[in-house]
Amino acid sequence: MNFSNLLKYFIPKEKKFYALFNQAAIYCIEASVELNNLFNSTTPEELKATRLKIKAIEKKGDEIATQVFNDLNVSFITPFDREDIHELANTLDDVIDLMYSVSGKVEFYRLNVFSSYMKDMVAEIQKGCVQIQTAVNGLENFKSTDKTLRACKDLQKLETRVDQYFHLGISSLFENEKNAIELIKQKDILLNIEKIANKIEDVSDVVKTILVKYA
């Protein structure tokens, strides 16, 4: 078997990584939709049901990450550096994990009233997860990177907007909240939503690193 035929034999194994990354991005979107629903919930029952949905999505996200790592161990040829595949899978999984973590804190703190700043932040998170899918899908075609780079740029802008909402939310909280315990709870939620935006920007950074190497 010559090298050309050997390469064709291995190519199908490469493409499975793109499908796995796309599925991870879909789970990011699904989790972000439910996170948005969580912060717009009006009853404890609705909160609990929504958190359970996020938990189920988080489990699926973990399974995708595990599949990527397992496939790395058995693939001779990969679409780009193994370290970058590992980093992208980890970062996508972290986005979902952080959303699940926030939902857990909401339940733990027994919060049922959310500030407009929190709602604005999670709305941006949802938009960002849609852009994550665009950015990740662009990795399959290095000949056309404009759309991918625009998505990465949008993700950076999103992080900035979320950061602005975070600072406005903190300022409003210290100005208006008189209950010290409630202030601590609300501050922690704001901080952890911001962490999601930071991790979304990390996805953008990983994608851009891959593009620099291979585009």
Side-chain angles (χ1 to χ4, degrees), residues 53-197:
K53 291 179 182 178
I54 297 174
K55 181 179 181 181
I57 297 168
E58 188 269 342
K59 183 176 180 181
K60 292 178 182 178
D62 285 344
E63 291 171 354
I64 290 292
T66 299
Q67 186 64 52
V68 171
F69 303 147
N70 289 341
D71 286 348
L72 272 177
N73 290 329
V74 298
S75 296
F76 179 70
I77 296 176
T78 57
F80 36 88
D81 285 352
R82 293 172 184 273
E83 293 80 3
D84 293 327
I85 291 175
H86 191 281
E87 182 66 17
L88 183 56
N90 259 335
T91 309
L92 289 168
D93 189 46
D94 287 345
V95 171
I96 302 175
D97 287 346
L98 287 171
M99 286 191 272
Y100 176 54
S101 176
V102 168
S103 72
K105 287 178 177 291
V106 168
E107 182 179 57
F108 179 75
Y109 291 149
R110 300 185 184 277
L111 298 180
N112 52 28
V113 176
F114 307 104
S115 71
S116 61
Y117 302 106
M118 292 179 185
K119 293 179 180 181
D120 287 337
M121 290 168 77
V122 295
E124 291 292 340
I125 295 298
Q126 184 176 341
K127 294 175 185 176
C129 287
V130 173
Q131 291 299 322
I132 281 178
Q133 188 179 31
T134 300
V136 169
N137 283 346
L139 292 175
E140 193 165 1
N141 183 8
F142 290 119
K143 294 181 180 180
S144 180
T145 61
D146 289 348
K147 188 175 181 180
T148 307
L149 289 172
R150 282 198 300 271
C152 290
K153 188 174 182 180
D154 287 342
L155 291 175
Q156 290 178 308
K157 291 179 179 178
L158 176 142
E159 193 279 333
T160 299
R161 290 195 299 273
V162 172
D163 194 53
Q164 290 171 343
Y165 285 131
F166 168 74
H167 289 294
L168 289 170
I170 292 293
S171 177
S172 174
L173 190 60
F174 277 93
E175 183 176 354
N176 299 303
E177 183 56 62
K178 306 305 177 184
N179 186 310
I181 294 177
E182 188 65 22
L183 187 149
I184 292 171
K185 293 178 180 179
Q186 297 277 337
K187 180 184 176 183
D188 192 40
I189 295 298
L190 286 166
L191 179 62
N192 279 273
I193 298 174
E194 188 197 26
K195 287 181 180 179
I196 302 171

Side-chain angles (χ1 to χ4, degrees), residues 30-57 100 103:
E30 291 179 358
S32 69
V33 169
E34 295 304 334
L35 188 70
N36 202 4
N37 291 338
L38 184 81
F39 279 84
N40 287 279
S41 300
T42 57
T43 66
E45 293 77 17
E46 191 177 358
L47 278 169
K48 183 176 181 180
T50 305
R51 183 173 185 270
L52 288 175
K53 291 179 182 178
I54 297 174
K55 181 179 181 181
I57 297 168
Y100 176 54
S103 72

